[in-house]
Amino acid sequence: MELLSSLIFMLVIAAALLGFVMLLALILVLAERKVSAYMQDRVGPRRVGPFGSLQTIADAIKLLLKEDIISLQADRKLFILAPYLVFVSSFAVFAAIPFGRNLIASDINIGILYIMAISSVVVLGIIMAGWASNSKWALLGAMRSAAQMVSYEIPLALSILSVIMLVGSLRMQDIVGAQSGGLFSAQNRWILLDNPFTFLAFFIYFISALSEVNRTPFDLPEAESELVAGFHTEYSGMRFALFFLAEYANMFAVSAIAVTLFLGGWSGILPGYTFLNGVPGFVIKVSVLVFVIMWLRWTLPRLRVDQLMSVCWKYLIPIAFFNLIGVGVWILIFD
Amino acid sequence: MRAYFRNIYAAVSTILIGMRITFKEMFHPSVTNQYPYQYYFEKRKNVRGIHKGFRGQLYIRMEDCIGCKKCAMICPVDCIYIETSRLEKGITLSDTRAVVRLKDQTVWIGELLEGDEKIEPGTVVKLRDLDGNLHESPSEHVEHVVTSKKRRLKLDRFDIDMSLCMFCGLCTEVCSTSCLYMTQTHEFSTYDRASLLFHFADPSIYEGLTPDETETKAEDGADASEGRKQKAARRRQREETA
């Protein structure tokens, strides 16, 4: 009985999170289209609903009604499984993201480690999709994606490690608690501003995270101009929509993690402005980061494969290592 | 080592330049024209309207057509269909109106007071239009002059199939009375190909004409059929009172 009730409780939370992610994707897709439109002096969607607000819903309905094509040459089981794997692993990240003081689905004591682990499963799903499609575009996209995501996980982990060293805990709420002072206070200020090395770590994290979620300028796995659509070339209808959903869910998750680790999470921005504490402040910070991700996408061209690798192995990883040592020395000397 | 850091600096600074540009661009007004809803572009400097010489949908002023069929003959795609018949004996129609076209594509229609089809340099072309306004222009500015012609044929059919038309404008060039011309209308798409066959023949022009009415040469310049109808009405009234 105890087990059953806790199972139901978990299902309710999962359903709530799923609803949140769906809503998020609807908003973010529209936001992205609007941002890109304004940056290119266009007006963006505005026909469906007031100011085009229902455009994504219309698109989602269209995708639902589309024919579900599974190529005869495809590896049927893997082909069907891949989008679920990608979506589930990017969805599972939300379980450990603290939205507010008590708004966290599961405050496990290895929160950030769990996030790192579960988000790596996305690579598996993408390779599975590329392989199962039995198409050269998809396979090339998947291979690129694997190389990219595996490489960029290193600087990502190293930059997160510097935060963990500083806080001394893997628990997400502890990391937020260590930054409860806000932006400028002497004690417990944002980890971003704690010392110059963590400041740098934030940018390393952000660049690697961009690459992890396959966003421009690191969108080689789905480079339209070269690979049609990359790993999801052969997918149609709702299966494609799952990849799409996962991309936007990832974008939010990555920004939310950046906010939690470096920008104070749900704790307030400035002491005294209590209305910015909790969920509103969190949402504002995450929205700003999401906007920056979109902003970068509509500004920068895509990197070449060799450039991608050189950015990671020649620049990010050495700097991240140096940075990690720097944080360690800083802690030894000043704390 | 220096090159390494210079490379990082170059990458970061150029990314920031690009981001500044895109951010600035976000606050520029959009250049989109919401086409069917926002049609004329008065407020936009960078978008021009339709030019004066634009070749759009064909239109013909039937009351000036003499039925010479030159347009149908020159049409490369044979999209103009004309059928004419002789007028009954004793019936005369009003003369066609003169047309003056200037080099800036302004067109005046009406009664020619001075000037000729052969444009002599140094002379003046003068024309009174249908509203009675007087226009004049030195002959250097005039592209062509079409003097008034006699109408001897009745047009039973004047159809233009715009689905075939290739908008070359040859028919308007050869038109004897300059009554066939291209308008600026370019949005006449339909759901049905048959509705692109435009019928211009207007039987009402020839209504109410009786053979003894020889004097009905419209001196008034105004719409000929309208004038004739009024005259016929007046005549009928006179007969009733008598």
Side-chain angles (χ1 to χ4, degrees), chain A residues 34-35 38-44 46-47 291-292 295-296 298-300 314-316 318-319, chain B residues 3-5 7-8 14-15 17-20 22-23 25-32 34 37:
Chain A
K34 279 289 187 188
V35 165
Y38 287 135
M39 284 188 175
Q40 297 171 346
D41 290 353
R42 298 182 283 113
V43 288
R46 48 178 277 175
R47 288 272 161 266
F291 170 74
V292 172
W295 182 9
L296 278 167
W298 298 102
T299 305
L300 299 178
K314 283 176 161 174
Y315 293 89
L316 287 183
I319 293 171
Chain B
Y4 181 85
F5 286 107
N7 200 1
I8 294 175
T14 48
I15 285 172
I17 291 170
M19 288 177 80
R20 203 177 67 211
T22 38
F23 193 75
E25 215 60 36
M26 271 191 84
F27 300 101
H28 282 193
S30 84
V31 294
T32 310
Q34 299 282 321
Y37 306 97

Side-chain angles (χ1 to χ4, degrees), chain A residues 128-159:
Chain A
M128 207 182 261
W131 176 261
S133 301
N134 205 353
S135 146
K136 47 182 170 289
W137 308 122
L139 187 61
L140 277 170
M143 296 310 281
R144 278 184 180 192
S145 168
Q148 177 182 332
M149 291 170 100
V150 168
S151 310
Y152 276 85
E153 223 137 71
I154 302 166
L156 190 78
L158 288 173
S159 57

Side-chain angles (χ1 to χ4, degrees), chain B residues 183-209:
Chain B
T183 56
Q184 302 207 326
T185 313
H186 55 279
E187 302 155 302
F188 48 102
S189 50
T190 58
Y191 287 106
D192 178 13
R193 203 162 43 170
S195 46
L196 283 173
L197 184 69
F198 290 91
H199 308 285
F200 290 101
D202 181 9
S204 70
I205 292 176
Y206 314 105
E207 263 170 24
L209 285 178

